[in-house]
Amino acid sequence: MRAITLTVTAVAAALALTACDDGGGGGTGGDKSTNSSACRIGEVSVQIGSASMAPAAGDSGEVPVSITNQSAACTLDGFAGVELRADGTSEKVPALEGATGQKLKLAKGDSASFTISYVRGKDGDTAGLAAQSVKIGLPGSGTSQSFPWKYGPIAAKGGGSGPDASVSGFQQAGD
């Protein structure tokens, strides 16, 4: 009897989790709905830091992105929405496989960061993406900001299903 109860509880928990939305999605700013406590671009500053660039095709690189709250307390819940853009093409960048999004509350002056990881592609390879810009959105806000992509072309994932890139979860920065 106890095994049945545990099984029913586990199935109920699994169903509840599949009904949840992580708020991050793969698009800019997660889902298109807005959340009144969500951090918004314009109320937070977004900066791309010094990257650990991939020097040659097949090498991995990381691009850190920092967010500093400039206004009233706000919340980051899930993953940043990131799109890579090239010549009218836009590719969503998924969350890092196995990563979990966390909920962070940022008071005025608080900072958080996340990382865009990528595999450098070959120049001129049509299977990859010769990204020219990256569009970053925050979960639940519906706002985004574009930045130049200066880190070279991005290789295609195995099977050609989009760029070989991913987004880490938010991490609290500072003390």
Side-chain angles (χ1 to χ4, degrees):
M1 188 64 153
R2 182 177 165 105
I4 292 172
T5 304
L6 289 175
T7 303
V8 170
T9 303
V11 169
L15 289 173
L17 286 174
T18 59
C20 294
D21 177 12
D22 69 5
T28 55
D31 62 12
K32 298 295 182 202
S33 63
T34 58
N35 176 340
S36 63
S37 68
C39 295
R40 289 176 174 65
I41 291 178
E43 296 173 0
V44 300
S45 67
V46 179
Q47 294 182 330
I48 293 183
S50 298
S52 170
M53 290 179 45
D59 291 342
S60 296
E62 293 186 338
V63 180
V65 179
S66 62
I67 298 151
T68 303
N69 188 10
Q70 306 293 320
S71 189
C74 64
T75 304
L76 295 170
D77 189 6
F79 293 90
V82 175
E83 289 182 8
L84 293 166
R85 297 171 167 231
D87 294 328
T89 302
S90 178
E91 293 281 348
K92 293 180 181 180
V93 178
L96 177 66
E97 189 173 324
T100 56
Q102 63 176 319
K103 188 173 189 174
L104 296 177
K105 187 166 187 169
L106 299 181
K108 184 174 183 175
D110 285 352
S111 297
S113 65
F114 68 92
T115 301
I116 303 168
S117 299
Y118 71 101
V119 175
R120 185 164 180 150
K122 295 178 185 174
D123 288 329
D125 183 2
T126 57
L129 182 68
Q132 298 163 331
S133 66
V134 58
K135 184 176 176 184
I136 297 172
L138 302 177
S141 74
T143 59
S144 61
Q145 184 174 357
S146 292
F147 298 88
W149 181 264
K150 308 177 213 174
Y151 315 107
I154 301 164
K157 281 186 191 173
S161 59
D164 195 349
S166 62
V167 177
S168 72
F170 292 108
Q171 298 293 316
Q172 192 83 43
D175 295 331

